[in-house]
Amino acid sequence: MKKHWWKFLSFALLLYVSIAGFIIDVPQLPIIYETIRNLFFHVCMWFAMIVLMAISFVNSIKYLSGFRLKNDLLAVEAARTGLVFGILGIITGMVWARFTWGDFWVQDPQLNGAATGILIYLAYFVLRSSVEDEQRRARLSAVYNIFAFVLLIVFIGILPRLSEASLHPGKDGSPGMDVGGLDAQMRFVFYPAIIGWILLGIWITNLRYRLRLIQEKIEE
């Protein structure tokens, strides 16, 4: 049981976020108002996505350094779970945009960059499915995955900072919600939410990775 403590922590944190996130008092900021509660879901899911894509990125590098298929399996499963969190982040962001900017999608550098990042990783899975040879598929997708992660950071972290047209709060050098300006009550939910969503993503990735290992052994 001791080695599974982080799984219980993930469940407890997300349960806490799901309850506290809807009952705490939030600042009534112009335009945003009560929709600011989406911060605990939309933004934190993107934190989880970035961490998972970073895990995938590191394992792709490890694969190229030792050509161990376990690293390739972990890289693809981390990317797969990260992509799910990215899509959930897009959906929750669209709902938030509808109530704050009046439309599900607006011309915003951060939104467009997020969509581009998702498409880049969808292409990663298309690439994997188009190559039959196991080792060749692993090598090609590992190289692609390294560039995909770099491009993701560029599209969601760098280019929006350089743009003056972003509608996201804190666009001046810090696109997205200005976390430094959160009040104390929101911080007590926001930081646990980040940890909870990241741990959930790692948990799902771990389960999928172990399942793939079993499948590979069965197929052999």
Side-chain angles (χ1 to χ4, degrees), residues 52 63 111 127 141 147 157 172 219:
L52 291 168
Y63 172 78
L111 290 177
L127 172 65
S141 58
F147 286 102
D172 295 330
E219 291 174 0

Side-chain angles (χ1 to χ4, degrees), residues 109 153-164 175:
I153 298 302
V154 170
F155 280 118
I156 70 174
I158 298 177
L159 291 183
R161 293 175 185 269
L162 301 177
S163 174
E164 297 181 356

Side-chain angles (χ1 to χ4, degrees), residues 42-217:
H42 166 66
V43 176
C44 298
M45 286 177 182
W46 276 87
F47 271 104
M49 181 205 69
I50 292 172
V51 170
L52 291 168
M53 294 311 189
I55 292 173
S56 179
F57 168 77
V58 169
N59 276 278
S60 287
I61 294 176
K62 286 184 176 181
Y63 172 78
L64 292 175
S65 65
F67 298 106
R68 292 181 293 272
L69 284 176
K70 286 186 176 182
N71 291 127
D72 177 61
L73 289 179
L74 186 53
V76 68
E77 293 307 330
R80 198 185 307 274
T81 308
L83 184 62
V84 172
F85 275 85
I87 293 172
L88 289 174
I90 287 282
I91 294 172
T92 52
M94 289 173 64
V95 173
W96 201 354
R98 174 65 179 82
F99 287 97
T100 55
W101 300 329
D103 205 347
F104 287 108
W105 199 271
V106 295
Q107 291 301 316
D108 180 83
Q110 190 138 344
L111 290 177
N112 294 335
T116 304
I118 294 296
L119 291 175
I120 288 172
Y121 274 94
L122 285 174
Y124 167 73
F125 291 102
V126 172
L127 172 65
R128 290 189 64 88
S129 65
S130 65
V131 181
E132 293 186 3
D133 181 74
E134 191 175 56
Q135 290 289 351
R136 185 166 178 265
R137 178 177 63 235
R139 288 195 299 271
L140 288 174
S141 58
V143 173
Y144 181 94
N145 195 24
I146 292 171
F147 286 102
F149 182 73
V150 173
L151 289 174
L152 177 69
I153 298 302
V154 170
F155 280 118
I156 70 174
I158 298 177
L159 291 183
R161 293 175 185 269
L162 301 177
S163 174
E164 297 181 356
S166 178
L167 296 174
H168 277 75
K171 65 180 180 180
D172 295 330
S174 180
M177 182 60 62
D178 184 5
V179 177
L182 292 180
D183 68 356
Q185 285 197 84
M186 291 196 68
R187 291 189 188 201
F188 279 124
V189 181
F190 179 69
Y191 294 124
I194 293 176
I195 298 172
W197 287 114
I198 290 175
L199 290 178
L200 178 63
I202 294 174
W203 189 357
I204 295 172
T205 299
N206 182 258
L207 289 174
R208 290 193 56 86
Y209 171 65
R210 290 165 59 190
L211 179 61
R212 285 292 301 275
L213 287 179
I214 294 172
Q215 290 174 339
E216 292 294 325
K217 290 179 179 178

